[in-house]
Every structure is written in structure tokens, then in C-alpha cells.
Amino acid sequence: MPTYTAPVKDMQFVLHDMLKVSSSDIPGYDELEAEFTNAVLEEAGKLTADVLAPLNVVGDQEGCRLENGIVYTPTGFKAAFEQVKEGGWTGLDMPEEYGGQNMPYLLGTAVGEMFSASNQAFTMYQGLTHGAAAAILAHGTDEQKNKWLPKMVSCEWTGTMNLTEPHCGTDLGLMRTKAEPQDNGTYKISGQKIFISAGDHDMADNIVHLVLAKVPGGPEGIKGVSLFIVPKFLVDDEGNIGARNGVSVGNIEKKMGIHGNSTCVLNYDEAEGYLIGDLNKGMRAMFTMMNEARLGVGMQGLAQAEAAYQNALAYAKDRLQGRDVTGAKNPDGPADPLIVHPDIRRSLMDQKSFVEGARAFILWGATMIDKAHRSEDKDADGLISLLTPVIKGFLTDEGYDMTVKAQQVYGGHGYIEEWGMSQFTRDARIAMIYEGANGVQALDLVGRKLAVDGGKHVMAFFDLVKTFCKENGEDEALKDFVEPLKAASKDLQAAGMYFMQAGMKNPNDALSGSNDFMHLFGHVCLGLMWAQMAKAANAALASGEGDAEFYETKLATGRYYMARRLPATGLHLARIQTGGDTVMALTADQF
């Protein structure tokens, strides 16, 4: 059975050597001393390794079941959820006034990676609750916050987001779920929602659904969508649970992966709901939840890649196959371990350089969210909004690919369920689809995000790269990082310039290259992260303190990324510059 060990040391390196969080001027970061963050991460690591990781395969094999209208989670999930709640992990970064610990989003992100890596299906129950609570926190009235948030923060009650319907996914303007206004200010919600993760289960006393629906007489399309709080059980003014609301489970979806999460078809039959935010402004409120969810999904790509890599590495060191072409490394044994072979090394280095670069990218992104919220920094908010589709799309595409590489290390055993490697690949696959399929993320990046505020935020990103390269260009120890980063950044700028010149004349020329642009952008982001980590590692080595081998390994891994992975930007640029003619050449009937 696969195992998982939380990468605490690597997280500490990113937090303190690279990001230097405790000296940041972001409110609350002064509390993030190395000793404190280490204590939190170590405790989270124990919980995820000892409790959640062993349940990962249980959830995969058992799945959830629907019996007589009740959804039952896999063996052990309920007891584990109680442990998570008792430890206060569900409200780590939520406001104290609602029972949270008010830690920075950054720390919640680091802990969240451990939870997702150890058991993604399980972690989704609390993750979706966090997103729903964030939407209520941002858009709810004081009365709504006081009524719903305390028990959602503690996960006594969990939450969901209800968008998709059988006939509409991305195009939510087509939805048919109706919200009929009542004389008492409530609404009667009727319709069907599908693909609702954690839609029903036996681990919480109540489930608070956030449901998109249309009020009759409102504007057509997406402009007529509103957001409603629709609980599984009605709650009185004192917070006591009452009668069952008009929402029921029609079915549990049979899925490729994340079997331990109850993905439900939910039927609403005049269920009582309460408007959250403004009428016909539901997407504005829902996007609070979706943007947070997209960052969390990007983290899932990293998390599954990390867990798969750990197991592939252990197998490569243990499995004896063939001899090293330069001479036997295990002369007393019948063969050498897999890890001696260059192609296995290539695969492992692809995985290692991705997960460490992606971790830095995710945590850097989390600092921007904290800066936007805690310091009310609009520039930080603009930059993370630009990078959100890159984090979601690039990290999940690449993360999935890395789980396949990890599976491949096992050869035929990777295809056999006994070894458990296929679960990482199957679980990672959904991350490329939900919370906005990656093709949509790429279209959002190119079609909307690049032009926001006159291109101010993408120019700010270019300035970040340019400033780093200028400040460190004379440092011989960073030459292997600065020069490739410069070249990759030029490719990204050239792609942006192509879109400006060709895309204005023919939008298909830009949109046909959107997926390549998202990946090009992602590689440049990881290149910037590796350059910054290299600088931090060199500084640590120069100080003579800490684990020299760790820092030297970090530098070698970074050099691999810059030499072997980052040049992909040239390929993506070449594809982009071919335009849309070859993509759009066939008529629909010719396919």
C-alpha cells in the first residue's frame, strides 16, 4: 500500500529561506516564526501520514453508498473527520469570531497540501466547506454569518457549491433551477444539480448548500443568476436543527477516481433558500468560492504528484532490474536498483523538479492572497487573479502527467491495483476538469485576464522577472538560472505580442494558442520560483548553517528544471505563432 510523508523540511525552506515570511509586512506574518510553523506542519504531517493516508486506499476501494436516501462514507472516514475537527484544522485560517484561528491563508495552504496529498477525496469535505464559508463571509449579511459560519468553520456542518446541471456546465446562463420568492423573504428552490462534491454524507449534522438559481422575471442568461443558502435541514433563529428541507439525493455519481468523496445528484423540490448577496449577482458571490477552489485544485495537482513521486522514488531504490551501463552498483546482488538507469532518473527528476517548483508557486500565490486581503493590496489581488488560471490549469495538467510518470516507474506493477499507484493518476484526473476545465482556464487567461486594467498585471509580472534577472545577472552562481529565465520570459512576451497583433484581427489566432500560452506562462512561473529558490539555497550555503546537502540537492534539482523543462517555452511559442488556420481548417463534418 502506498505511504505518505509530509515534506515539512521543503515547506520550511520555501516559507523561510525563499519567502522570508516572518519578516514580511503582511499583517499576521510576524507570527510565522520558523519554530511555530514547523510545529504546526509537523502536527499536520503526523495526522495526514498516520490517519488520513491509510484511509486513502480504503476510500478508493469502498467508495460511498446510498441506502434509503442516506449517504454513507467509507470505513474510518467518520472517525478521522472527528479527529480533524477536534484538532481545529478546519478553521485554521478562518476568523476567530466564528471559531477559527485566524492564521494566514499561506499556512492553511501548506497544511492543505498535506491533507490533499494524503487523501484527496476525504479532504474535499472540509475543503468545500471552507469555500462555502468564505463566500458567506464575503457576501452574507451579519445575520447569515452568525447563523451559519460558526458550525461551518468547525465542520459540525459542512458546505457545498451547486452550479452544474445536466444540460449546462461551463455555460451557467443556461441553468433551469428556479427560485420563487415568498412573502416572508425566503425563496422556494426547485431544480436538479449534478456533480455536487460532498453533496451528502454521514459525517456532519447538517449540510449547507450554496445554490445558483434564477428568479423568474430576471435578466436572461448569466446576468439573471442569484446565489442562495439552502440547508439540508432547516435551522431556527437559535441555531437549532429542525425539519428536513426539500433537497434529496437522486444518485451518487460513479467516477474514475476520488471514490471516497460522495459526488451527488441533488434534487431540489421547493426547498427553502435564502438569498446571499445581491439579486441577480450570484456569479459575483460564487466566484469568491470558485477562485479559492481553483487555487485549491491547483494544489491538488501538486499534492497527487508529490504523493506519487514519493512512492515511485521508494520503488526505484528498492526494485532490482538490470545493470548500470557504467558498471554494477550492486555487485553482490542479481541486479542493480532501478534508480541507476538514466531514463528512470529523468522521470524522477521531472517529478521532483515539478513538485518542488509547484510548491513554491502555490505558496507564493498564497502570500498574494494574504496581501490582497490582509493589506487590501489591489496590485496583489490583480496579480493573483491573473495567475489563478495558470495555477489551476498548468499545475493540474502537469501534476497529472507526473502521476503517470510515477506509475510508469513501477512498470507492470504500476498498472496493478495491489500497488495503489493508479489511484494517484485517477484521483489527479478530476483536477483538470472541475472548477472550470483547463481549456476554459486557458481561454479565461488569454481572453480576459491578460487585458484586465490595460494589461497592468501581466506587465507587473514581467517586471518581477526583469528585476530579478537584473539584480542577479552578475552573480556567477546563478548564471544557470538567470539566463534560461530570461530566455523563457522573452518567449512569453513574444507570445503576448503575437496575441496583440494577430488576435485583434482574428480572435481564433489567439484562442487557438491559449492552452500553449497557459503552459508557457506556467513554465516561466516555475522558472522564476526555481531562480528564487536557487538564490536562497546559495545564501544558506554561504552562511555555513543548516543542511548543506539539502541546499546542494535543491540547486541540482533547479538546474535540471532550467535545463530540461523550461526550454518547453520555445515549443509553446512556436505553436502559438502558427495561428488558428490549421486548428480551424476542417469543417465540423470533416472530423
Side-chain angles (χ1 to χ4, degrees):
M1 186 173 72
T3 60
Y4 172 71
T5 302
V8 174
K9 189 170 186 176
D10 200 60
M11 290 179 174
Q12 285 286 89
F13 168 76
V14 175
L15 292 175
H16 300 287
D17 291 78
M18 176 189 153
L19 296 174
K20 301 185 185 300
V21 293
S22 59
S23 59
S24 169
D25 60 359
I26 299 174
Y29 273 40
D30 57 335
E31 298 178 17
L32 300 181
E33 296 289 346
E35 186 176 352
F36 172 72
T37 58
N38 192 70
V40 173
L41 297 176
E42 287 285 356
E43 284 302 309
K46 291 175 186 175
L47 177 64
T48 53
D50 299 341
V51 178
L52 302 189
L55 291 175
N56 199 34
V57 68
V58 176
D60 186 54
Q61 293 177 352
E62 287 189 15
C64 298
R65 67 185 195 278
L66 174 64
E67 295 180 0
N68 300 318
I70 300 172
V71 175
Y72 295 94
T73 50
T75 302
F77 270 43
K78 195 169 184 178
F81 203 55
E82 290 302 314
Q83 282 188 255
V84 171
K85 290 190 285 186
E86 288 168 8
W89 297 107
T90 60
L92 192 67
D93 59 350
M94 296 300 284
E96 289 179 280
E97 62 185 299
Y98 303 114
Q101 299 180 50
N102 203 37
M103 289 289 107
Y105 181 81
L106 171 66
L107 192 58
T109 300
V111 169
E113 183 201 323
M114 297 181 187
F115 276 85
S116 288
S118 63
N119 196 325
Q120 179 175 319
F122 175 92
T123 301
M124 289 170 64
Y125 291 98
Q126 69 205 56
L128 284 155
T129 306
H130 189 285
I136 294 173
L137 184 65
H139 300 282
T141 63
D142 288 341
E143 181 183 1
Q144 288 173 333
K145 293 175 190 177
N146 292 329
K147 183 172 185 175
W148 304 106
L149 288 182
K151 291 190 177 181
M152 292 180 72
V153 168
S154 68
C155 272
E156 291 176 71
W157 300 347
T158 59
T160 70
M161 52 194 296
N162 286 229
L163 293 80
T164 308
E165 298 181 9
H167 60 283
C168 71
T170 301
D171 192 353
L172 291 171
L174 298 175
M175 73 174 56
R176 297 172 184 157
T177 299
K178 298 296 183 186
E180 295 280 355
Q182 305 298 300
D183 293 339
N184 63 358
T186 66
Y187 292 78
K188 293 296 184 184
I189 312 296
S190 297
Q192 185 180 77
K193 297 291 186 176
I194 64 170
F195 305 159
I196 308 306
S197 301
D200 198 84
H201 55 86
D202 59 351
M203 300 193 299
D205 297 330
N206 203 358
I207 300 175
V208 182
H209 303 294
L210 294 195
V211 183
L212 285 177
K214 288 184 174 180
V215 176
E220 291 295 318
I222 200 66
K223 293 181 179 180
V225 172
S226 301
L227 184 64
F228 300 88
I229 297 171
V230 188
K232 176 180 178 179
F233 292 99
L234 298 175
V235 178
D236 66 21
D237 293 338
E238 283 71 48
N240 300 308
I241 290 178
R244 179 72 184 254
N245 204 358
V247 53
S248 60
V249 180
N251 192 21
I252 297 179
E253 307 282 10
K254 293 179 174 62
K255 312 184 296 294
M256 177 179 174
I258 55 168
H259 296 153
N261 195 269
S262 53
T263 308
C264 298
V265 174
L266 292 182
N267 296 318
Y268 291 88
D269 184 13
E270 294 192 344
E272 185 168 299
Y274 319 102
L275 180 68
I276 178 172
D278 297 327
L279 191 66
N280 301 323
K281 301 293 184 182
M283 288 308 298
R284 179 189 302 170
M286 185 62 89
F287 267 111
T288 298
M289 190 160 49
M290 289 180 67
N291 283 335
E292 178 182 303
R294 284 170 179 170
L295 292 168
V297 171
M299 182 177 65
Q300 289 176 352
L302 154 64
Q304 294 308 300
E306 168 67 35
Y309 165 69
Q310 287 187 16
N311 287 278
L313 175 61
Y315 187 84
K317 289 181 176 180
D318 183 67
R319 174 77 165 174
L320 301 180
Q321 291 285 287
R323 289 293 186 189
D324 187 333
V325 294
T326 63
K329 295 297 186 290
N330 179 34
D332 296 331
D336 289 332
L338 280 173
I339 200 167
V340 305
H341 302 301
D343 192 60
I344 294 292
R345 290 290 188 98
R346 172 199 57 78
S347 175
L348 292 173
M349 287 297 282
D350 279 353
Q351 297 168 55
K352 180 177 174 62
S353 63
F354 168 74
V355 297
E356 293 180 16
R359 178 172 299 117
F361 188 21
I362 285 278
L363 294 177
W364 177 55
T367 65
M368 282 184 267
I369 291 178
D370 279 329
K371 198 169 187 178
H373 292 169
R374 290 173 172 249
S375 301
E376 298 183 356
D377 188 318
K378 291 184 178 179
D379 289 337
D381 187 57
L383 184 55
I384 192 58
S385 293
L386 168 71
L387 294 176
T388 292
V390 182
I391 291 172
K392 195 281 182 184
F394 177 71
L395 294 191
T396 58
D397 277 353
E398 289 287 300
Y400 174 80
D401 285 348
M402 296 306 156
T403 67
V404 173
K405 289 176 186 290
Q407 190 180 23
Q408 187 77 7
V409 169
Y410 281 69
H413 290 296
Y415 200 66
I416 301 300
E417 291 298 332
E418 175 187 352
W419 290 86
M421 291 304 289
S422 80
Q423 185 184 353
F424 297 123
T425 301
R426 289 184 286 103
D427 285 358
R429 185 66 183 89
I430 186 58
M432 303 161 71
I433 300 171
Y434 62 13
E435 306 306 339
N438 286 356
V440 176
Q441 300 299 320
L443 293 175
D444 177 50
L445 174 64
V446 171
R448 294 199 314 118
K449 295 295 176 61
L450 287 181
V452 168
D453 293 333
K456 172 183 177 180
H457 306 298
V458 71
M459 294 306 297
F461 177 82
F462 288 138
D463 285 343
L464 278 174
V465 176
K466 183 178 179 180
T467 299
F468 180 90
C469 292
K470 185 176 181 180
E471 290 177 350
N472 299 281
E474 302 302 317
D475 187 344
E476 193 64 26
L478 287 178
K479 185 178 180 180
D480 292 342
F481 294 87
V482 172
E483 292 304 317
L485 179 59
K486 275 185 185 178
S489 181
K490 287 180 181 177
D491 286 343
L492 184 61
Q493 292 178 64
M497 186 62 67
Y498 174 82
F499 288 155
M500 288 179 63
Q501 294 172 344
M504 295 294 288
K505 300 174 185 175
N506 181 4
N508 283 337
D509 283 340
L511 298 183
S512 295
S514 61
N515 185 270
D516 279 291
F517 186 80
M518 180 178 72
H519 280 257
L520 200 170
F521 208 151
H523 276 298
V524 175
C525 288
L526 262 62
L528 177 60
M529 295 300 102
W530 271 115
Q532 292 179 345
M533 285 191 284
K535 183 175 181 178
N538 280 331
L541 285 170
S543 73
E545 299 177 1
D547 184 346
E549 185 178 359
F550 173 86
Y551 297 122
E552 288 165 356
T553 301
K554 184 67 66 178
L555 288 165
T557 306
R559 289 191 189 98
Y560 177 89
Y561 193 90
M562 306 308 276
R564 297 286 299 238
R565 302 289 294 168
L566 193 56
T569 59
L571 171 63
H572 290 302
L573 175 61
R575 288 172 174 169
I576 288 167
Q577 290 177 332
T578 63
D581 289 348
T582 56
V583 174
M584 306 301 292
L586 299 183
T587 66
D589 291 338
Q590 288 177 307
F591 277 92

